[in-house]
Amino acid sequence: MAFRTWLLVFFLVVELSAFVLQCVDSKYIKYNTTSTIVPGKLNVHLVPHSHDDVGWLKTIDQYYLGSNNTIQGACVQDVLDSIVPALLADKNRKFIFVEQAFFQRWWREQSEEIQSIVKKLVSSGQLELINGGMCMHDEATVHYIDMIDQTTLGHRFIKEEFNVTPRIGWQIDPFGHSAVQAYLLGAEVGFDSLFFARIDYQDRAKRKNEKSLEVIWRGSKSLGSSAQIFTGAFPEHYDPPSNFYFEVNDDSTDSPIVQDDINLFDYNVPQRINEFVAAAVSQANVTRTNHIMWTMGTDFKYQYAHTWFRQMDKFLHYVNQDGRVNALYSTPSIYTDAKHATKESWPIKTDDYFPYADHEHAYWTGYFTSRPALKGYVRMMSAYYLAARQLEFFKGRNKSGPNTDSLADALAVVQHHDAVSGTEKQHVANDYAKRISIGYKEAEDVVAASLVGVANLTSKTGWSLQNKFQQCPLLNISYCPPSEVDLSNGKNLVIVVYNPLGWRREDVVRIPVINENVAVWDSSGKEVESQLLPLLDVSVEVRKYHVKAYLGKSPKTTPSYWLAFSATVPPLGFSTYIVSSSKRADATSVRQEYKSENRKTDTIKVGSGKLKLIYSGNQGKLAQYINSKSLVKETVQQSYSYYRGNNGNQTVKPQASGAYIFRTNGTHPIKSEDKATFTVLRGPLLDEVHQRINSWIYQITRVYKGKEHVEVEFMVGPIPIDDGIGKEIVTQIATTLKNKKTFYTDSNGRDFIERIRNYRKDWDLQVNEPIAGNYYPINLGIYIKDNSTELSVLVDRSVGGSSIRDGQLELMLHRRLLHDDSRGVGEALNETVCISKKCTGLTVLGKYYLKIDPIGEGAKWRRSFGQEIYSPLLLAFTEQDGHDWTKLHVPTFHGMDPTYNFPENVAIITLQELEDGKALFRLAHLYEVGEDKDLSVMASVELKKVFPNKKINKITETSLSANQERTEMERKRLVWKVSEEEEPKVVRGGPVDPAKLVVNLAPMEIRTFVIDFSY
Ligand SMILES: [Zn+2]
């Protein structure tokens, strides 16, 4: 007892003496943070950053405001607020900010005083805005046009407010990296480098070993070195080396702070310097040159920026005093310039970084398909936004609205790598869809007003504006109130059909109607060929359920038919068609039911044009594809299967299939139900084959008389889960093609990349997941070929797909899973649709297109028809009551010179009136070098014919994101040394002669112009 008392007294005395010493001797230390690059030393570039997802576990608003913090303690407003004083406190400190959707919102809320401080921080380089799009877009499930649009939106804002152009691509979190990101959204926007974290774990190991994490990436075969970019994959992840993490109140990673008061306990400066030097040397061992980057931050950090900067100040001070390595405050720009200055030669990287796996059984290939309905919605709205901006341009932009800006904003944020990717929580997915829907509503008004404006140019009466154009965004579920009107009492339905493409187009338009005796006339009064197809029960059910679920009401009528007719539409213009009652009803399809009992016939032939599909009579299965024009005759089978989603109950390295990851526990073919009816509808325009595959898969196969491809519409869901097993639904198309493990998938809808099953070009692949590890993202299409034939499949949205066996292609159409895959989202991917509180699994409706060609002929269809899939005809409806519409209105509108038609290899991907009245105009060559014998050539577009009624005062070619002149961008571009031999000469279109105004485009070239018209 006595001893213990004595001990206590002893400790008290020691404690007190320490306290006294502290009071006497603690003093102000001025940390030296002035260090810059020191040649000859290992330079550790500390890059302070915060990774702020534009929606993931919380919605974008919740992340910005810091609400809903029980889900995740994250408040981006706090990050930005706390950065400003932290940077002002020491001019050597630096910070990068990435996500413009957050930054712009914050910026608008700041006082002029803060704005002027921030402008100074930006111009001094202390605060650098990099990447600069509205979000850090995904790279697998996004279309290149959406990537360009969302980047342009951010870059132009930065240019206007700060007069700077972002230099760095910072795609640190997306789950694999695309060729299009490197060459198009990297080099072509004028970036000097691109950085990211996530590459395959096997690839990473090899690259660390060979010091090839940093490369010169040539993403495009066609544009080669003219669009290459210095690229760095981080050695681990985008957070700091372990033990150098300093967010306040974050217990998850407890790094020791630098305790540099020698009079206090736990003084640790020597130890912390040693740890710093050791971590630096270890990274230097896998990096070329004596520059390494430390990413000092991670998700939603710097909410109290001072905690990080205080520690980094101390490290700079003491590490540089120590002198073994040199530490400095840096940015990716400073780092890139330092790398460039070394004159090192870099290895070349081609193709892309897909698929991404973070361990043997964790291939992030599920998200290529996750949330297929959201993916479909995004694609549909992307096309609508493109067309709406064209119509807005023709009419003249309305500054006070309505305009297309809110659709632009909604589409921009949904390109985020936890949005269209399908890896967000359900409530966040709903938030994105709601934003798009609100944006659409406004754009719909713009389109309607534009069409009225253009159509009324010759209107002699004052009745114009009461005839508002209506549109049908739910046409896919056969819901279109304006076309479902009773025409038997003499009413006429007017349909304006707008074509956003630069070439003339013929297509079959379909609308639901309630009358049987109807016919279609063109604006010259000539009847056009039409066909009625009965609306079958399955479609009526889907329509009824989803109209109630989405609109909260039941449809008033039930249409009996689809009316299909041939529309011919001029480029960048519209045609008008009139539907009215008619005694003639001979256009009704002939309906043939093939019941399984009496399917005695050997074969059933479908298609009345050049293309015929042969089905086996007794099984009702597709057997053959015959094209009498191209002379292709190929055995084809088409089927459905599901992969059983792995539930992750392994004892070693457990891994479930989930929103990100695809991991199967076996394949199950889905057999057609024996009693299933096989129905064929035949008519003058098209034949349809209706097949109920099982109680939750229905399929319609269409063969158009005038087309040589097959259109397949699928309806999948609700996927049953009552057996406790999650399912991933695929469709397979099997042929006899000998493709030798090789197939091709597109990069973001643009370049096709060769894929070889169970093989990677960059390393010796250890195959652990023979199915999931061979999946690739598809935005445009997938194809295989052998010596004589090619089989192509094009898609209407982003999906995952592969060729798992020779001759075969497969697409994953839908997934419903019951387990979380442990990558953060914390929810199983189990989507439902609800009416009131009653929910059922989500049904997905979509299309894919199939064509078989002689070898060398497939590209024409994939590229030119692919663009038509992306940009469908836009339909608007109004009623004609007593007046003759076509006499009083412009029935045919030509946005361009009526004699002009774009070459088949060029698309207008942007035509938009900017806020300052100038026009943003982008053209894309659709073909790669060597892809097609006729169309992989230099193409030219005559601007005088594109804008016949306007005088072009000035035309300026810009970077892809329209934030700087192209010549300026080229002048600034860093030239890098590469370690490999010369490449073939790269061809590009030359400068535009202001007198001739002809734009030349080389294969795969996209050219962006800002045009100043004088009126
Ligand atoms: Zn992220």
Side-chain angles (χ1 to χ4, degrees):
M1 190 72 173
F3 175 72
R4 286 173 71 176
T5 309
W6 174 83
L7 205 62
L8 185 67
V9 171
F10 173 79
F11 277 120
L12 273 173
V13 171
V14 173
E15 286 280 309
L16 275 170
S17 61
F19 180 72
V20 171
L21 278 172
Q22 184 194 11
C23 290
V24 172
D25 286 342
S26 292
K27 60 177 194 297
Y28 172 72
I29 303 174
K30 174 147 180 60
Y31 298 109
N32 182 359
T33 58
T34 59
S35 48
T36 53
I37 289 162
V38 177
K41 262 193 185 175
L42 175 59
N43 290 278
V44 185
H45 295 249
L46 301 188
V47 174
H49 78 107
S50 178
H51 176 68
D52 301 328
D53 291 299
V54 179
W56 178 37
L57 308 180
K58 309 204 290 189
T59 66
I60 177 170
D61 290 0
Q62 293 165 353
Y63 273 132
Y64 180 73
L65 296 166
S67 56
N68 217 350
N69 263 7
T70 48
I71 291 182
Q72 189 181 14
C75 174
V76 179
Q77 199 174 15
D78 281 348
V79 174
L80 285 157
D81 281 346
S82 90
I83 280 303
V84 176
L87 293 179
L88 285 178
D90 181 345
K91 67 177 175 22
N92 299 308
R93 292 174 176 173
K94 293 185 169 55
F95 194 76
I96 53 174
F97 199 82
V98 176
E99 298 82 6
Q100 282 296 308
F102 288 131
F103 184 83
Q104 293 185 11
R105 188 183 297 200
W106 178 80
W107 178 253
R108 287 191 292 270
E109 290 173 5
Q110 303 310 304
S111 65
E112 276 182 29
E113 191 189 348
I114 297 288
Q115 287 192 346
S116 105
I117 290 170
V118 173
K119 280 189 174 173
K120 280 184 198 130
L121 290 173
V122 170
S123 73
S124 72
Q126 260 195 284
L127 176 62
E128 189 172 334
L129 303 171
I130 67 168
N131 222 31
M134 298 303 280
C135 65
M136 185 183 293
H137 50 221
D138 182 47
E139 295 184 37
T141 65
V142 289
H143 193 275
Y144 73 92
I145 295 179
D146 292 329
M147 299 165 94
I148 295 171
D149 283 341
Q150 83 90 10
T151 305
T152 301
L153 214 51
H155 280 194
R156 288 184 60 85
F157 171 88
I158 295 170
K159 178 70 181 174
E160 271 161 38
E161 291 291 341
F162 300 98
N163 197 29
V164 294
T165 53
R167 289 187 56 200
I168 309 295
W170 190 255
Q171 292 284 117
I172 58 175
D173 196 23
F175 328 131
H177 301 280
S178 76
V180 156
Q181 177 62 38
Y183 88 84
L184 202 55
L185 279 302
E188 294 284 296
V189 299
F191 286 166
D192 287 320
S193 57
L194 166 63
F195 296 95
F196 45 72
R198 297 186 190 272
I199 64 171
D200 184 282
Y201 71 102
Q202 297 178 24
D203 192 14
R204 192 195 303 275
K206 180 166 183 250
R207 290 182 182 280
K208 281 166 85 162
N209 211 18
E210 295 177 351
K211 295 193 178 183
S212 60
L213 286 164
E214 291 175 325
V215 296
I216 296 296
W217 190 354
R218 280 183 192 163
S220 167
K221 294 186 287 293
S222 303
L223 299 178
S225 61
S226 77
Q228 67 187 18
I229 187 164
F230 177 80
T231 304
F234 303 143
E236 302 301 333
H237 200 48
Y238 56 77
D239 39 12
S242 61
N243 251 357
F244 295 92
Y245 176 101
F246 303 107
E247 188 77 5
V248 70
N249 291 338
D250 191 339
D251 304 332
S252 58
T253 45
D254 196 15
S255 301
I257 58 148
V258 180
Q259 207 291 70
D260 57 347
D261 190 334
I262 197 137
N263 299 311
L264 295 181
F265 290 131
D266 304 327
Y267 177 79
N268 64 1
V269 172
Q271 182 196 342
R272 294 259 53 198
I273 294 173
N274 285 342
E275 286 164 356
F276 190 102
V277 172
V281 169
S282 145
Q283 188 170 337
N285 285 339
V286 298
T287 312
R288 294 186 193 200
T289 77
N290 60 359
H291 295 276
I292 60 168
M293 190 200 301
W294 283 13
T295 45
M296 299 303 293
T298 183
D299 299 10
F300 300 98
K301 299 313 173 207
Y302 290 78
Q303 293 186 60
Y304 182 43
H306 194 62
T307 56
W308 287 87
F309 283 113
R310 177 192 280 148
Q311 299 304 316
M312 287 187 286
D313 286 352
K314 292 184 183 186
F315 275 116
L316 295 194
H317 183 81
Y318 294 111
V319 165
N320 293 338
Q321 266 181 2
D322 172 87
R324 281 174 285 171
V325 303
N326 177 56
L328 65 149
Y329 276 126
S330 185
T331 64
S333 298
I334 296 170
Y335 178 78
T336 300
D337 289 337
K339 286 282 177 182
H340 182 253
T342 62
K343 300 200 163 55
E344 176 81 18
S345 275
W346 303 95
I348 289 197
K349 157 80 185 166
T350 57
D351 300 336
D352 63 6
Y353 289 91
F354 282 116
Y356 164 60
D358 62 15
H359 73 69
E360 293 97 304
H361 302 294
Y363 280 85
W364 296 46
T365 53
Y367 82 97
F368 300 160
T369 299
S370 296
R371 301 194 188 277
L374 179 66
K375 285 179 162 77
Y377 191 37
V378 171
R379 181 63 53 86
M380 175 187 163
M381 285 299 136
S382 166
Y384 189 82
Y385 174 52
L386 185 149
R389 274 178 294 169
Q390 293 178 351
L391 287 163
E392 189 175 38
F393 171 82
F394 291 130
K395 179 182 156 285
R397 186 185 148 86
N398 191 347
K399 274 203 174 97
S400 55
N403 54 47
T404 52
D405 295 355
S406 90
L407 182 56
D409 286 337
L411 280 171
V413 297
V414 81
Q415 309 305 325
H416 168 59
H417 58 270
D418 288 305
V420 67
S421 58
T423 55
E424 66 279 54
K425 282 190 184 288
Q426 185 60 48
H427 79 106
V428 181
N430 297 345
D431 182 76
Y432 290 123
K434 184 167 145 188
R435 285 166 194 278
I436 296 174
S437 160
I438 293 168
Y440 168 77
K441 268 316 229 194
E442 193 176 335
E444 195 181 43
D445 290 344
V446 174
V447 166
S450 277
L451 289 174
V452 168
V454 176
N456 279 345
L457 287 177
T458 62
S459 173
K460 292 164 197 152
T461 62
W463 69 296
S464 57
L465 290 169
Q466 73 201 27
N467 278 62
K468 211 181 155 206
F469 281 106
Q470 287 181 275
Q471 292 156 71
C472 295
L474 294 180
L475 200 58
N476 68 331
I477 52 164
S478 51
Y479 181 68
C480 183
S483 78
E484 297 167 23
V485 289
D486 186 1
L487 299 175
S488 63
N489 54 8
K491 259 189 198 171
N492 295 321
L493 176 67
V494 178
I495 309 173
V496 169
V497 184
Y498 178 73
N499 171 19
L501 294 183
W503 59 76
R504 186 175 167 274
R505 195 167 163 186
E506 275 173 61
D507 220 334
V508 173
V509 170
R510 301 160 61 93
I511 53 165
V513 293
I514 58 174
N515 302 98
E516 189 171 350
N517 298 320
V518 288
V520 185
W521 282 269
D522 70 13
S523 53
S524 69
K526 216 172 89 206
E527 187 178 344
V528 298
E529 206 165 24
S530 65
Q531 179 180 347
L532 284 173
L533 298 107
L535 197 68
L536 301 187
D537 291 349
V538 57
S539 304
V540 173
E541 283 309 307
V542 165
R543 166 191 153 101
K544 230 168 79 187
Y545 187 83
H546 290 89
V547 169
K548 178 86 179 147
Y550 295 152
L551 304 180
K553 61 181 183 193
S554 296
K556 288 194 193 98
T557 55
T558 301
S560 315
Y561 298 97
W562 280 105
L563 170 65
F565 64 93
S566 284
T568 305
V569 197
L572 222 59
F574 64 66
S575 299
T576 305
Y577 292 88
I578 315 287
V579 182
S580 52
S581 71
S582 159
K583 287 284 167 286
R584 299 182 37 198
D586 54 353
T588 309
S589 308
V590 176
R591 179 170 175 165
Q592 290 169 303
E593 309 254 335
Y594 296 88
K595 295 244 162 47
S596 55
E597 312 82 82
N598 53 16
R599 280 184 206 148
K600 294 284 185 278
T601 33
D602 287 342
T603 55
I604 303 163
K605 198 183 274 185
V606 176
S608 59
K610 295 184 182 74
L611 173 65
K612 301 227 173 349
L613 295 183
I614 314 294
Y615 288 79
S616 71
N618 53 353
Q619 290 175 311
K621 281 189 175 156
L622 179 59
Q624 225 172 18
Y625 176 110
I626 302 173
N627 184 325
S628 59
K629 186 182 166 202
S630 67
L631 303 179
V632 163
K633 189 172 178 183
E634 178 61 38
T635 305
V636 189
Q637 285 161 349
Q638 188 245 347
S639 57
Y640 286 87
S641 302
Y642 68 81
Y643 292 113
R644 281 199 300 183
N646 200 302
N647 60 11
N649 62 356
Q650 301 79 13
T651 44
V652 183
K653 297 212 170 166
Q655 180 59 59
S657 206
Y660 306 85
I661 288 163
F662 168 33
R663 186 182 185 194
T664 164
N665 217 3
T667 319
H668 281 250
I670 296 171
K671 289 214 173 77
S672 296
E673 285 165 4
D674 286 343
K675 294 247 162 60
T677 346
F678 180 90
T679 306
V680 182
L681 304 174
R682 298 177 194 273
L685 291 176
L686 75 153
D687 289 358
E688 279 191 354
V689 178
H690 288 246
Q691 288 166 286
R692 175 160 284 295
I693 309 297
N694 65 11
S695 61
W696 48 276
I697 302 179
Y698 191 86
Q699 173 176 293
I700 305 169
T701 306
R702 300 194 177 98
V703 181
Y704 294 90
K705 189 181 178 186
K707 312 260 177 191
E708 293 176 46
H709 64 258
V710 183
E711 174 183 307
V712 181
E713 183 168 350
F714 56 86
M715 196 184 291
V716 177
I719 300 172
I721 46 167
D722 39 14
D723 54 2
I725 297 167
K727 296 174 188 67
E728 325 208 16
I729 317 307
V730 295
T731 185
Q732 287 122 340
I733 296 126
T735 63
T736 61
L737 266 68
K738 296 170 190 67
N739 59 309
K740 295 181 183 153
K741 298 184 175 178
T742 307
F743 56 107
Y744 301 83
T745 61
D746 65 275
S747 178
N748 303 116
R750 209 140 167 80
D751 313 55
F752 276 97
I753 297 182
E754 183 182 81
R755 315 294 189 184
I756 300 172
R757 202 179 323 128
N758 294 333
Y759 174 83
R760 304 285 189 267
K761 268 185 195 154
D762 291 355
W763 75 96
D764 284 333
L765 179 71
Q766 190 186 62
V767 179
N768 301 303
E769 288 288 333
I771 293 172
N774 284 309
Y775 255 67
Y776 289 88
I778 300 169
N779 281 280
L780 168 61
I782 178 170
Y783 69 94
I784 55 174
K785 60 182 184 186
D786 66 11
N787 293 335
S788 63
T789 314
E790 41 191 295
L791 159 71
S792 316
V793 172
L794 302 180
V795 296
D796 69 344
R797 72 196 64 195
S798 171
V799 299
S802 187
S803 170
I804 298 292
R805 283 182 293 111
D806 269 3
Q808 176 256 33
L809 286 178
E810 73 176 48
L811 302 176
M812 186 179 287
L813 303 176
H814 195 5
R815 25 196 346 246
R816 188 178 189 191
L817 297 163
L818 304 176
H819 298 273
D820 175 54
D821 53 6
S822 314
R823 292 302 181 281
V825 70
E827 276 181 9
L829 184 73
N830 181 2
E831 294 181 279
T832 57
V833 180
C834 307
I835 294 178
S836 301
K837 293 237 157 61
K838 195 173 174 296
C839 301
T840 55
L842 179 71
T843 296
V844 167
L845 227 116
K847 286 180 188 167
Y848 66 88
Y849 306 83
L850 181 156
K851 192 163 186 271
I852 306 177
D853 289 288
I855 186 78
E857 304 283 311
K860 263 191 191 110
W861 180 71
R862 290 192 294 269
R863 292 299 184 181
S864 301
F865 182 67
Q867 204 61 29
E868 297 186 10
I869 296 174
Y870 173 81
S871 269
L873 293 171
L874 187 156
L875 307 181
F877 304 85
T878 190
E879 272 176 43
Q880 167 181 305
D881 233 342
H883 299 270
D884 184 342
W885 173 277
T886 53
K887 284 216 179 82
L888 297 173
H889 296 80
V890 178
T892 308
F893 167 67
H894 297 270
M896 303 194 295
D897 182 318
T899 62
Y900 192 61
N901 207 28
F902 263 50
E904 215 183 320
N905 48 7
V906 180
I908 305 168
I909 61 169
T910 318
L911 174 56
Q912 174 183 1
E913 183 180 331
L914 297 168
E915 277 191 58
D916 58 9
K918 292 177 185 161
L920 179 60
F921 185 59
R922 258 189 212 101
L923 297 172
H925 195 299
L926 298 173
Y927 287 74
E928 293 178 62
V929 162
E931 200 178 6
D932 184 85
K933 59 184 189 303
D934 305 314
L935 296 168
S936 292
V937 293
M938 188 72 81
S940 56
V941 172
E942 299 176 51
L943 299 188
K944 284 179 182 167
K945 294 194 169 159
V946 178
F947 304 105
N949 305 317
K950 291 181 152 80
K951 190 179 175 317
I952 294 178
N953 206 17
K954 192 178 175 213
I955 176 163
T956 310
E957 181 162 18
T958 65
S959 62
L960 184 71
S961 57
N963 64 345
Q964 55 186 321
E965 290 196 16
R966 176 96 198 175
T967 46
E968 175 71 4
M969 179 187 105
E970 295 289 357
R971 193 185 56 74
K972 289 189 299 193
R973 198 192 285 284
L974 299 180
V975 179
W976 299 86
K977 279 171 79 176
V978 294
S979 60
E980 280 164 48
E981 74 288 350
E982 289 299 299
E983 56 164 356
K985 193 176 177 334
V986 178
V987 181
R988 278 183 176 264
V992 177
D993 179 336
K996 289 188 185 136
L997 291 170
V998 173
V999 178
N1000 291 317
L1001 296 114
M1004 274 292 113
E1005 204 174 9
I1006 295 183
R1007 299 184 71 177
T1008 306
F1009 300 93
V1010 171
I1011 303 177
D1012 199 351
F1013 294 105
S1014 60
Y1015 296 89

